[in-house]
Amino acid sequence: MKKIITISREFGSGGHDIGVEVAKRLGIPFYDHEIVDKAVAESGYTKEFVEEHGEYSSLGSVILGTSAPFDSYYYAEDPQDKIFKIQRRIITKYAQEGPCVIVGRCANYILEKAGIDSFDVFIRADLETRAENVKGRVSLTGEELERFLQKKDHRRRVYYRFYTKKRWGDYHDYNMMLDSGVLGKERCIEFILKAVEEN
Amino acid sequence: MKKIITISREFGSGGHDIGVEVAKRLGIPFYDHEIVDKAVAESGYTKEFVEEHGEYSSLGSVILGTSAPFDSYYYAEDPQDKIFKIQRRIITKYAQEGPCVIVGRCANYILEKAGIDSFDVFIRADLETRAENVKGRVSLTGEELERFLQKKDHRRRVYYRFYTKKRWGDYHDYNMMLDSGVLGKERCIEFILKAVEEN
């Protein structure tokens, strides 16, 4: 039985909530913000900084090697790289401890590279559903909100590409992709639970 | 309730069998080879030719415009295009008649363009599962068989790209992606049935 479940998700698709509920019903740990908290403690960066650079590509980190003064390339470890390595260590450790649900941060790729078997899920939804889902958290509306969501996806995509050399959301990297807009969260939860049951 | 279901699939992933069973349990028509038969009747091409050019990119059709003598570009309709248009008409007609399961041939894209709502599924599986699935149909083994499967996928991918301008298997184009290797066919069938149930 594959009880290490990774959940990748479009921003606002409800992947976090789905993961919380799957973990609860299976009685196993759920890791999302916990990864950030641990990375804050290990890195010395603020929570906001880790959240920002631990899952979203920052242009700065890409151009550092070319635009920064020559010597700084050798002196400074890029913050995004530093956070990625810390998160990788935390995620791998969580998975080694036993069954759990891990959200985001290239966990599916990190575990595959570590030779740890996991059931990998991708949650998507249409823009309308996602806009509705984030209404309370984001103070934008209409087209501005859509652009905000698309930018979030884009930066996650670039981040995933940068560290995995693969395409975010490509079906080869997942065992299941669910559209929470059409299916609703409850059905997504049920499908994941059923998927990790013994055959 | 979305009872028009399209199934796209990697070659050998069991998408056809899953679709047959979903249609049977819902008591609705299943269309796969039926599309070929109708296209044979309409086009005048043989069954083998329609199967070959109705879902797989043929290099000939891509280079026709550049390598064929100038005039032939204007005289000849490319056979692949001709078959695509016939299949598009057949698929649209089937969907207009009511609930059904349609396999392959860019049906998800064709119906979207026709403004017909459908539940779109993509079935994948690891190479080992697919090699096992096609054992009786294909007289290749080992690496030769893997290359054969990868070539089939590649030609479907190019075909999809050519007619839709989109990426085959990209999550935006589907409501659900299932790994039949890990989940098994029965669970895939159950998930699709559950997905199209009333909320």
Side-chain angles (χ1 to χ4, degrees):
Chain A
M1 182 175 37
K2 288 184 171 191
K3 280 276 177 67
I4 294 170
I5 301 166
T6 73
I7 298 183
S8 310
R9 75 291 183 223
E10 287 191 307
F11 190 87
S13 68
H16 173 92
D17 298 352
I18 290 167
V20 167
E21 196 56 31
V22 165
K24 198 175 139 192
R25 296 194 201 172
L26 289 173
I28 61 179
F30 171 79
Y31 299 120
D32 186 348
H33 304 311
E34 294 72 9
I35 299 166
V36 173
D37 294 341
K38 272 198 173 284
V40 166
E42 283 196 37
S43 68
Y45 294 125
T46 66
K47 187 171 174 189
E48 290 67 29
F49 193 86
V50 170
E51 278 177 346
E52 185 64 18
H53 297 281
E55 199 163 24
Y56 298 99
S57 170
S58 42
L59 187 59
S61 70
V62 175
I63 62 172
L64 180 67
T66 53
S67 71
F70 182 77
D71 281 352
S72 73
Y73 185 78
Y74 297 95
Y75 291 136
E77 182 179 28
D78 176 60
Q80 183 179 291
D81 282 350
K82 184 175 169 181
I83 294 169
F84 177 79
K85 285 175 194 166
I86 290 174
Q87 290 189 156
R88 182 173 58 190
R89 198 166 57 239
I90 295 168
I91 287 168
T92 308
K93 188 172 160 289
Y94 281 147
Q96 284 166 340
E97 286 171 359
C100 60
V101 176
I102 304 173
V103 171
R105 298 169 190 84
C106 312
N108 59 325
Y109 175 81
I110 288 170
L111 297 185
E112 190 201 343
K113 284 286 159 189
I116 297 172
D117 203 21
S118 59
F119 186 77
D120 304 314
V121 182
F122 189 92
I123 306 286
R124 64 154 297 205
D126 53 287
L127 275 174
E128 293 69 31
T129 300
R130 294 162 60 199
E132 182 65 27
N133 284 344
V134 303
K135 234 171 35 183
R137 283 186 285 156
V138 180
S139 59
L140 297 168
T141 54
E143 279 186 25
E144 273 191 335
L145 180 53
E146 292 202 354
R147 272 200 299 278
F148 170 83
L149 292 170
Q150 283 164 333
K151 198 174 168 193
K152 283 279 189 185
D153 290 343
H154 179 67
R155 292 180 60 208
R156 282 188 184 167
R157 193 176 301 123
V158 174
Y159 183 89
Y160 192 82
R161 184 74 176 184
F162 188 78
Y163 287 106
T164 70
K165 317 266 182 300
K166 296 162 117 188
R167 202 180 290 123
W168 188 60
D170 183 277
Y171 70 86
H172 294 93
D173 285 2
Y174 308 93
N175 303 112
M176 192 181 230
M177 184 282 288
L178 301 171
D179 177 344
S180 67
V182 167
L183 296 168
K185 284 184 196 171
E186 180 56 32
R187 261 192 291 213
C188 293
I189 294 163
E190 284 169 27
F191 289 168
I192 298 169
L193 290 172
K194 181 88 184 159
V196 297
E197 267 179 15
E198 300 274 3
N199 270 309
Chain B
M1 183 172 38
K2 289 183 170 192
K3 280 275 178 64
I4 295 170
I5 301 166
T6 72
I7 297 184
S8 310
R9 74 291 182 225
E10 288 190 307
F11 190 88
S13 68
H16 173 93
D17 299 352
I18 290 167
V20 167
E21 196 57 29
V22 165
K24 197 174 140 193
R25 296 195 202 171
L26 288 173
I28 61 179
F30 172 79
Y31 300 120
D32 186 349
H33 303 312
E34 294 72 10
I35 300 167
V36 174
D37 293 341
K38 271 199 171 282
V40 167
E42 284 197 35
S43 68
Y45 293 125
T46 65
K47 187 171 175 188
E48 290 67 30
F49 193 85
V50 170
E51 279 177 345
E52 184 65 18
H53 297 281
E55 199 164 24
Y56 298 99
S57 169
S58 43
L59 188 58
S61 70
V62 175
I63 61 171
L64 180 67
T66 52
S67 71
F70 182 78
D71 281 353
S72 72
Y73 185 78
Y74 297 95
Y75 290 134
E77 182 178 30
D78 177 60
Q80 183 179 290
D81 282 349
K82 184 175 170 182
I83 294 170
F84 177 80
K85 285 175 195 166
I86 291 174
Q87 291 188 155
R88 181 173 58 191
R89 197 165 59 239
I90 296 168
I91 287 169
T92 307
K93 188 172 160 290
Y94 281 147
Q96 284 165 340
E97 287 171 358
C100 60
V101 176
I102 304 173
V103 171
R105 297 168 193 85
C106 312
N108 59 326
Y109 175 81
I110 287 170
L111 296 185
E112 191 201 344
K113 284 285 158 191
I116 298 173
D117 203 22
S118 59
F119 186 78
D120 304 315
V121 182
F122 190 92
I123 306 285
R124 63 154 299 205
D126 53 286
L127 276 175
E128 293 69 32
T129 300
R130 295 161 60 199
E132 184 64 28
N133 283 344
V134 302
K135 233 170 37 184
R137 284 186 285 157
V138 181
S139 59
L140 297 169
T141 55
E143 279 185 25
E144 273 191 334
L145 179 53
E146 292 203 354
R147 272 201 299 278
F148 170 82
L149 291 170
Q150 282 164 335
K151 199 174 167 192
K152 282 278 190 186
D153 289 343
H154 179 68
R155 291 180 60 209
R156 282 188 184 168
R157 192 177 302 124
V158 175
Y159 183 89
Y160 192 82
R161 185 74 176 185
F162 188 77
Y163 287 106
T164 70
K165 316 268 182 301
K166 297 164 116 187
R167 202 179 290 122
W168 189 61
D170 183 278
Y171 70 87
H172 293 92
D173 286 0
Y174 308 93
N175 302 113
M176 191 182 230
M177 184 282 289
L178 302 171
D179 177 345
S180 66
V182 167
L183 296 169
K185 285 183 195 172
E186 180 55 32
R187 260 191 292 212
C188 293
I189 295 163
E190 285 170 26
F191 289 168
I192 297 169
L193 290 173
K194 181 88 184 160
V196 297
E197 268 179 16
E198 300 274 3
N199 269 309

